Amino acid sequence: MSEPVREAKGTWLARWLPLVGWLAHYDRHSLVRDLLAAVIVSVMLVPQALAYALLAGLPAQVGLYASMLPLVLYALFGTSSTLAVGPVAIISLMTASAIAGMSGADGAALTTPEMLAAALLLASLSGSMLIAMGLLRLGVLVNFISHPVISGFMTASGILIIASQLGPITGLSLNGGNLIAMGESLSAGAQGLHWPTLAIGLGCLAWLILARRHLKHGLMALRMSESAAGMLCKTTPIIAVIVSSLLAWGLSDPLVQDKSGMALVGAVPGGLPDLSLPSLVSHDWSGLLISALLISVVGFVESLALAQTLAARRRQRIDPDKELIALGVSNMGAGVSGGMPISGGLSRSVVNFDAGAATPLAGAFTAIGILLASLWLTDWLAWLPRATLAAIIIVATTSLIDIAAIKRTFRYSKGDGAALMITLIITLAHGVESGIIVGIAVSLGLYLKRTSQPHSALVGRVPGSEHFRNVERHEVETDPELAILRIDESLYFANARYLEDTVLALMAERPSLKHLVLACQAVNLIDASALESLEVINERLSAAGVKLHLSEVKGPVMDRLKCSELPANLGGDIYLSTFDAWQALSIHGSHCGQSCARDGISQTAAVG
């Protein structure tokens, strides 16, 4: 086989398996960096994985299972060297919401095996959707969800997650998928407050908050390097786990219903999970489709934003479509290995980055660390109080709540601020699925509203220059027989009629008008509907004795217009610049006729 053929095959393989690209340059230095990052992230991930599984309403070991095979698969297919995938707070909350909306075959609540089956199916459905979107190159679709909507959803989800942990941290029974239901449940059972559980929970919470705020500076005062102090601070949850487990060990027996009444994680099965395909036999599995789609979209948006932020710091590039495939394959891996839907985790990814992870192989090493923990530490994990995991979740989730972003958004745009608040309120009052659906609808609604009424402005010439500005904002030269209307949006079916109304209203207001120039420097697209509207405008202006002209038409737009009859039928001309139109048509111009090509397209416009 010739060398070019081998190179072509290698290029094709690297395109679908990014591991091939960077593995050829992998060296001992990269190995050391990846191993160090994996050790730190593994220590951090064990308690988080347990906590997020319980947040999803699943047995604790499901979080460990979701942190093994998915991490290995992302190392093979991912394009980010530092993104740490696994169970995350928002996806766990959405998983809990999806499973809570299901019922068993007899209409009763799901049993634990049925909940596990639903979680596996949810992960597999989400994975298959992500892979399909990646193969179809649909990564750009997430751009239709505005940042204010995402911000409102994240903040509301953070509040819901914290509220959901008030039950485990106080020993109270807490039910409901929204803030109202949780509040009613908490109020109804307030008399059952369990003081040992509350003491453990508040103690862990205080330790985690104080350590986050002050431990790093304290360690640096002891002459520890800033990077080492930062890394050590990230492992503080492990100290909370060890101390609280020892306290619970002295008070409880997880195998005999607990002397003190404290809720513990209990016996955690050790070893590797069984590999099996999710069952599609469930009568209502189709009910998970919408939930799987929402989990896919939210997980991808969160992961991509995080991966791109970290990659920019190292001047690296993230491929959105490949990330879709990588996250899809990882979720499929969770679905066949006893896990739950996963995504990129904020805190773990930042720790991975700060620890110096060089390649995605750090994730595979982390998976090995989780495997060792599941083999050797499960007996100790049985003594872990659920209140400790609740405290870990609360502290990790506070980063999702961004009140400052709400204030900034309202100051900048009342419309975006309203979209943010609608999403936030619906999420809190009705749950995460309703919130994100309404948020997406609001995003699309705002887009259609803004583009269906494109901003336009009558412009005049700044004296002594070739610049044109809004007549309502600047002192400019105008001509009663000439109107120059600047269009500040692409023209498509949703705003074509609005442009017609704007032009006809302008013509009615100016009886002396003889020439109308549409300045198209901001127009990147003219679709078939907008083309038809331009033809109607041209006909009506011609019937009224007014000539329609175009200026500053971009090359790609001009190429499409040449395929139509508009240039030939245009009452006026097409000019390369608005200044050319001014010179040719205004009583103030030189009338040099530089741009007047009699075929309807100026010589200069032909090369636009």
Side-chain angles (χ1 to χ4, degrees), residues 269-347:
L272 290 170
D274 295 328
L275 298 180
S276 62
L277 292 175
S279 172
L280 298 179
V281 177
S282 174
H283 72 287
D284 59 354
W285 69 270
S286 58
L288 293 174
L289 287 175
I290 298 298
S291 298
L293 179 60
L294 296 177
I295 287 174
S296 301
V297 171
V298 172
F300 176 63
V301 169
E302 186 180 11
S303 299
L304 183 64
L306 179 58
Q308 289 178 332
T309 299
L310 296 177
R313 298 183 187 179
R314 294 184 178 179
R315 299 189 178 185
Q316 297 172 343
R317 179 179 175 274
I318 300 298
D319 187 321
D321 294 317
K322 289 181 180 178
E323 281 299 294
L324 277 168
I325 294 175
L327 287 173
V329 172
S330 299
N331 271 284
M332 293 288 285
V336 301
S337 61
M340 55 187 283
I342 57 96
S343 180
L346 172 61
S347 57

Side-chain angles (χ1 to χ4, degrees), residues 141-397:
L141 290 182
V142 299
N143 296 333
F144 286 96
I145 308 177
S146 68
H147 178 74
V149 166
I150 290 295
S151 179
F153 177 74
M154 293 288 189
T155 296
S157 297
I159 295 172
L160 283 179
I161 291 169
I162 291 174
S164 71
Q165 297 309 296
L166 295 180
I169 212 168
T170 58
L172 299 176
S173 177
L174 187 62
N175 300 307
N178 58 65
L179 201 59
I180 297 173
M182 290 180 191
E184 292 175 349
S185 175
L186 200 63
S187 176
Q191 67 277 8
L193 182 66
H194 190 254
W195 293 104
T197 297
L198 182 62
I200 291 285
L202 291 181
C204 290
L205 197 59
W207 158 249
L208 293 172
I209 293 174
L210 291 174
R212 172 178 281 195
R213 293 181 178 178
H214 305 295
L215 182 59
K216 181 178 179 179
H217 296 295
L219 293 174
M220 291 175 62
L222 297 175
R223 298 187 178 182
M224 182 178 288
S225 67
E226 182 177 0
S227 59
M231 289 298 102
L232 188 59
C233 288
K234 303 298 184 182
T235 64
T236 51
I238 288 296
I239 298 176
V241 167
I242 294 173
V243 173
S244 62
S245 296
L246 289 174
L247 288 173
W249 178 66
L251 298 173
S252 309
D253 182 353
L255 302 179
V256 179
Q257 190 61 23
D258 184 13
K259 301 173 186 175
S260 68
M262 186 182 303
L264 305 178
V265 169
V268 178
L272 290 170
D274 295 328
L275 298 180
S276 62
L277 292 175
S279 172
L280 298 179
V281 177
S282 174
H283 72 287
D284 59 354
W285 69 270
S286 58
L288 293 174
L289 287 175
I290 298 298
S291 298
L293 179 60
L294 296 177
I295 287 174
S296 301
V297 171
V298 172
F300 176 63
V301 169
E302 186 180 11
S303 299
L304 183 64
L306 179 58
Q308 289 178 332
T309 299
L310 296 177
R313 298 183 187 179
R314 294 184 178 179
R315 299 189 178 185
Q316 297 172 343
R317 179 179 175 274
I318 300 298
D319 187 321
D321 294 317
K322 289 181 180 178
E323 281 299 294
L324 277 168
I325 294 175
L327 287 173
V329 172
S330 299
N331 271 284
M332 293 288 285
V336 301
S337 61
M340 55 187 283
I342 57 96
S343 180
L346 172 61
S347 57
R348 294 193 301 272
S349 297
V350 171
V351 170
N352 206 32
F353 178 91
D354 292 341
T359 70
L361 200 58
F365 293 146
T366 301
I368 296 175
I370 301 300
L371 171 62
L372 295 177
S374 67
L375 289 174
W376 296 337
L377 300 180
T378 51
D379 291 340
W380 284 100
L381 292 175
W383 300 98
L384 178 59
R386 295 196 176 203
T388 301
L389 296 180
I392 292 172
I393 291 176
I394 290 174
V395 173
T397 303

Side-chain angles (χ1 to χ4, degrees), residues 91-173:
I91 301 303
S92 298
L93 181 65
M94 296 181 73
T95 300
S97 176
I99 295 176
M102 299 180 64
S103 59
D106 56 356
L110 295 181
T111 63
T112 298
E114 288 174 331
M115 293 174 65
L116 288 172
L120 296 179
L121 185 56
L122 194 60
S124 298
L125 288 173
S126 177
S128 61
M129 290 176 179
L130 287 166
I131 293 173
M133 287 190 286
L135 294 175
L136 295 174
R137 299 184 179 277
L138 298 180
V140 296
L141 290 182
V142 299
N143 296 333
F144 286 96
I145 308 177
S146 68
H147 178 74
V149 166
I150 290 295
S151 179
F153 177 74
M154 293 288 189
T155 296
S157 297
I159 295 172
L160 283 179
I161 291 169
I162 291 174
S164 71
Q165 297 309 296
L166 295 180
I169 212 168
T170 58
L172 299 176
S173 177

Side-chain angles (χ1 to χ4, degrees), residues 554-574:
K554 294 183 177 180
V557 178
M558 192 68 243
D559 292 340
R560 299 186 69 173
L561 289 181
K562 288 179 181 179
C563 298
S564 71
E565 297 179 358
L566 179 65
N569 296 333
L570 197 65
D573 300 312
I574 301 178

Side-chain angles (χ1 to χ4, degrees), residues 385-433:
R386 295 196 176 203
T388 301
L389 296 180
I392 292 172
I393 291 176
I394 290 174
V395 173
T397 303
T398 53
S399 61
L400 297 176
I401 302 175
D402 193 350
I403 303 301
I406 299 175
K407 297 178 180 178
R408 289 194 306 268
T409 303
F410 265 105
R411 278 200 306 266
Y412 184 76
S413 170
K414 294 294 188 293
D416 285 333
L420 187 154
M421 288 305 299
I422 289 172
T423 305
L424 189 150
I425 292 171
I426 294 296
T427 303
L428 291 178
H430 292 277
V432 289
E433 290 191 0

